[in-house]
Amino acid sequence: MNRIYLDHAATTPLDNEIFEKMRPYFTQDYGNADSPHGLGRKAMNAVDEARDSLAAAIHAKPNEVYFTSGGTEADNWAVIGGALAQRSKGRTHVVLSAIEHHAVLHAGEMLKKYGFDVTYLPVNKGGMVELNALKALLSENTALVGIMAANNETGCLQPIAECAKLTHAYGALFFTDAVQYAPYLPMDVKAWDVDLLSLSAHKFYGPKGAGALYIKNGVKIEKLIGGGEQERGLRGGTTNVPAVVGLASAYLKNKATMSEVNTKLKTLREVFMQTLSTLDGVAFNGEEGLFGILNVRFQGVLNTDLLYNLDLQGVCISIGSACASASVKPSHVLLAMGLTEEETRECVRFSFGKDNTEEEIVFAANKTVEIVRRLRG
Ligand SMILES: *Cc1c(COP(=O)(O)O)cnc(C)c1O
């Protein structure tokens, strides 16, 4: 059966060219990047080159880029490490948007155990945070604010530069989870003026288990992983050289093609939406943001039924985030946007990628219409 993959927000396939760039560092150039011999230096050169090129691409300096085991680690490090470092200044309050990824929300839960106060910034019906609401939560006690650049369930884009500016007026650190934003739009950490920013390679056709945290020079955060002196002494563990090479080269390749891909995704998304709009009782959730993500509610249809039926046709989609799907908990993102629990169970996410064809999109949209009609009886 031909698979039609419409779940790019969960993960993307590793680009073959990126895989080939990683390959030598698994086999012939396997040195430990910290070893003081030829093979070690070869590995370290590859890591340095990856750090330099990734930093340049996001307008950071090389010593502001720290490699991690993925987006989840980078998120945990930013939230927990950032807040703990601020505690020495007497700040014990953290603000996280209500629509953050579980990696950020669960890090917030851990902070509560360490005595922090965590409050959640609401979003409006369109899935957007509002500056007035953020201002109402900030105080001289605020240690850190975390607001994602683009939401992984709806694709909604948040006003990062404005939120960072407001946060800084209260002397707190500003962190943005840019994992879902990075695949689609160019980033400039200086223009946003964020203190901390997370990335993950497998959302832009790189390998899983590879991520990065940008830490602005001068910003202090506690380390979470002790060990060797890797990553400027802030993150122990033998450097995963193939992962680092894959992360940087995937970011650069994806960045070079994203504008062209966006034009294509915009068309695919419109074609898809037009076909779905032939049904009654269809609503698109959230203000328009990333062209790659479409969150849809089909009134009267259970999302798990739609997912399983599309899967039988070879079409891969998701219910909210990949992490939530297994537990089938109602989406905290859609709840925060004001949907009822029952309404959230009628919502699915389609996420498109660079290799999807119009033919696939038409097939998937027609199958969706057919299945929804059948399930509604
Ligand atoms: C996928 C994702 C993460 C987690 O990244 P991993 O590399 O899978 O750990 C964090 N935040 C957002 C917004 C994501 O989409």
Side-chain angles (χ1 to χ4, degrees), residues 56-348:
I58 64 170
H59 303 267
K61 296 189 186 77
N63 65 5
E64 295 176 313
V65 170
Y66 295 77
F67 293 118
T68 67
S69 66
T72 298
E73 185 193 327
D75 284 351
N76 274 269
W77 190 12
V79 173
I80 299 172
L84 287 178
Q86 290 280 92
R87 184 148 68 181
S88 57
K89 298 175 191 159
R91 294 174 179 257
T92 56
H93 171 231
V94 167
V95 176
L96 302 174
S97 91
I99 59 167
E100 293 300 300
H101 189 271
H102 281 126
V104 171
L105 293 177
H106 290 179
E109 290 302 315
M110 288 187 238
L111 281 179
K112 288 182 191 169
K113 290 189 194 159
Y114 300 144
F116 283 85
D117 234 358
V118 181
T119 47
Y120 300 94
L121 173 62
V123 293
N124 62 23
K125 276 187 169 20
M128 305 288 294
V129 303
E130 288 175 351
L131 289 175
N132 286 341
L134 174 59
K135 190 159 196 254
L137 295 180
L138 294 171
S139 76
E140 300 300 320
N141 187 33
T142 308
L144 177 136
V145 173
I147 299 172
M148 68 201 321
N151 182 265
N152 49 303
E153 292 189 34
T154 62
C156 281
L157 301 171
Q158 306 301 334
I160 294 308
E162 292 84 349
C163 291
K165 191 173 174 203
L166 184 56
T167 299
H168 288 151
Y170 288 81
L173 293 180
F174 187 84
F175 160 59
T176 191
D177 171 342
V179 173
Q180 206 58 243
Y181 185 101
Y184 299 102
L185 296 164
M187 285 188 304
D188 184 334
V189 292
K190 293 291 178 274
W192 272 348
D193 194 22
V194 294
D195 301 299
L196 302 158
L197 173 146
S198 59
L199 292 177
S200 174
H202 75 99
K203 303 289 171 75
F204 45 75
Y205 309 94
K208 293 169 185 61
L213 182 65
Y214 159 80
I215 307 177
K216 186 182 175 180
N217 273 341
V219 168
K220 297 266 175 292
I221 84 169
E222 293 287 325
K223 69 169 128 183
L224 299 190
I225 301 181
E229 289 302 306
Q230 292 90 357
E231 302 302 306
R232 309 182 78 229
L234 281 181
R235 196 270 185 188
T238 303
T239 306
N240 186 344
V241 182
V244 161
V245 168
L247 167 70
S249 43
Y251 187 80
L252 295 194
K253 181 171 181 184
N254 187 70
K255 190 184 175 199
T257 51
M258 61 174 50
S259 120
E260 201 183 310
V261 171
N262 272 326
T263 308
K264 175 181 165 176
L265 293 178
K266 188 168 190 283
T267 309
L268 294 183
R269 194 173 183 270
E270 274 163 12
V271 167
F272 201 79
M273 287 172 80
Q274 269 164 20
T275 305
L276 297 190
S277 297
T278 60
L279 284 166
D280 290 330
V282 170
F284 300 105
N285 296 314
E287 276 182 28
E288 184 169 272
L290 301 174
F291 296 132
I293 297 182
L294 186 64
N295 197 301
V296 193
R297 178 172 160 231
F298 298 96
Q299 253 177 56
V301 176
L302 205 57
N303 53 14
T304 45
D305 290 346
L306 180 54
L307 183 142
Y308 294 136
N309 278 280
L310 277 171
D311 191 35
L312 290 176
Q313 302 294 329
V315 179
C316 307
I317 65 158
S318 102
I319 292 166
S321 68
C323 328
S325 315
S327 54
V328 201
K329 277 197 195 133
S331 155
H332 66 284
V333 174
L334 298 174
L335 288 176
M337 288 163 65
L339 274 75
T340 65
E341 213 173 295
E342 198 184 338
E343 287 167 347
T344 68
R345 294 188 198 281
E346 298 173 334
C347 299
V348 295

